[in-house]
Amino acid sequence: MKDKFQREINYLRVSITDLCNFRCGYCMPQEGLVAKSRQEILTLEEIYYLVHTFVEKGINKVRLTGGEPLLRKNVLALIESLGKIEKIKDFALTSNGYLLKDYAQDLKAAGIQRVNLSLDTLNAQKFEKITHYDGFDKVWQGLEEALNVGLGVKINAVLMKGINDDEIGDLIQLTKDYPLDLRFIELMPIGQTQDFAQKHFLSCDEVLKFDGLLEVERDDPHSPAQLYRLEGAQGRVGLIRPISQHFCQACNRLRLTSDGKVKPCLHSDSSLDLMTPLRKGEDIRPLIDRATQAKPERHHLLERQTSQESMNRIGG
Ligand code: SAM
Ligand code: SF4
């Protein structure tokens, strides 16, 4: 599918739940969350049907996310059925890692190729401050198990001034010690956590002050990450800079929320409801075309226009 700026749209991110056991300060409001009723959330069968339809329209790369996707009941059954869709060439999952130790083997068997695991610190106390959950040890075990079973692993670390900027070197060192990629992500002002982002934003330029990082070529031209490698390291260090260098010209993605809306852009409130027409038995393919054509040329975060919905709702 081509959008009106001639970008090839082949990537769908699917938030299968907006629930999460963590409460990361940059992602979810700490209080006042109202869980959606079961009726307001796509069933697993509906998610399968929608993803299948997107794939028939030209999507060949799918990532399951959330909220925390591994919290969704019967998630493995969904993954197994999606894993059988041959036209999906790249099938991945983003997780906070808390349940990964138990799931890693089955995820791999069901067809997941890569896991992006969120880990902003290597310090258990700081981990609890960031996520409001005592979970570091379990996440670390999940990371080790994912590597053990042969899943590709990328660590997502959100850069936060005054919180984890003293750990940039230790996080980079992981790419020497383990066969994994690490990606630093600039904190984005989204939803109800915008004050947090304003207070703790740090440009990825800070990472480039670290000695010995050599730029390497990206293997995927659509990847938003600029890639670097430390000499002798097993993995690479990526910088995702939505704020300091936006990458909208290479954007190839659509997002499907757990309540059945397709979002053309992460940073805009515009969305198209697929759930209602789906439940009425209507053809949703023209709506997928409409969402593709509605992709804006670029985001306007610097002009302070952003989504009012939190990341756990949209699916990061
Ligand atoms: N729960 C899973 C996890 O934490 O990996 C998946 C969902 S989470 C919303 C997906 C990604 O979004 C995580 O890597 C998280 O760090 C990132 N994220 C959430 N809020 C963000 C923000 N305000 N700025 C930058 N990244 C954010
Ligand atoms: Fe949960 Fe992931 Fe959001 Fe943290 S970033 S609160 S783990 S959805």
Side-chain angles (χ1 to χ4, degrees), residues 21 40 53 79 92-93 95 104 120 169 193 211 228 232-233 250 258 262 304 306:
N21 45 343
E40 292 172 298
T53 311
I79 292 174
L93 175 94
S95 168
D120 307 324
T193 61
D211 276 344
Y228 299 82
S258 54
V262 59
R304 296 188 178 257
T306 184

Side-chain angles (χ1 to χ4, degrees), residues 5 189 242-243 246 248 265-268 295-307:
F5 303 101
I243 311 286
H246 78 81
C248 305
C265 172
L266 171 62
H267 301 293
S268 145
K295 275 183 74 63
E297 189 171 14
R298 53 172 290 242
H299 70 61
H300 294 277
L301 280 177
L302 294 179
E303 295 92 324
R304 296 188 178 257
Q305 289 174 27
T306 184
S307 169

Side-chain angles (χ1 to χ4, degrees), residues 67-213:
E68 174 46 40
L70 297 182
L71 288 179
R72 178 88 194 234
K73 208 168 154 201
N74 294 328
V75 61
L76 268 180
L78 172 69
I79 292 174
E80 274 162 13
S81 51
L82 291 174
K84 293 193 182 107
I85 302 180
E86 280 187 13
K87 288 183 182 165
I88 301 180
K89 300 296 175 210
D90 188 327
F91 188 26
L93 175 94
T94 301
S95 168
N96 65 23
Y98 189 77
L99 298 172
L100 196 54
K101 183 168 187 279
D102 300 334
Y103 272 103
Q105 183 85 59
D106 292 336
L107 290 175
K108 171 93 177 144
I112 291 283
Q113 295 151 348
R114 290 176 296 108
V115 174
N116 281 22
L117 188 143
S118 299
L119 186 63
D120 307 324
T121 175
L122 301 176
N123 174 301
Q125 280 88 45
K126 210 191 274 184
F127 181 95
E128 193 170 343
K129 278 200 181 127
I130 295 170
T131 62
H132 299 90
Y133 206 90
D134 174 13
F136 179 81
D137 291 344
K138 277 201 74 172
V139 171
W140 189 260
Q141 289 163 15
L143 165 65
E144 289 185 324
E145 186 62 10
L147 291 171
N148 279 342
V149 304
L151 282 165
V153 175
K154 267 186 203 159
I155 292 185
N156 285 349
V158 176
L159 256 186
M160 291 170 277
K161 185 167 65 190
I163 298 182
N164 64 355
D165 43 352
D166 58 338
E167 290 192 74
I168 291 174
D170 294 341
L171 288 164
I172 290 175
Q173 180 65 28
L174 292 176
T175 64
K176 276 206 147 178
D177 298 342
Y178 298 92
L180 54 78
D181 284 350
L182 165 74
R183 307 195 314 173
F184 287 107
I185 304 177
E186 282 179 352
L187 188 50
M188 298 178 278
I190 297 188
Q192 294 164 52
T193 61
Q194 295 183 33
D195 291 349
F196 184 96
Q198 237 108 61
K199 193 163 161 207
H200 295 288
F201 174 78
L202 190 65
S203 160
C204 273
D205 287 342
E206 206 59 29
V207 177
L208 294 175
K209 292 183 184 160
F210 191 81
D211 276 344
L213 286 177

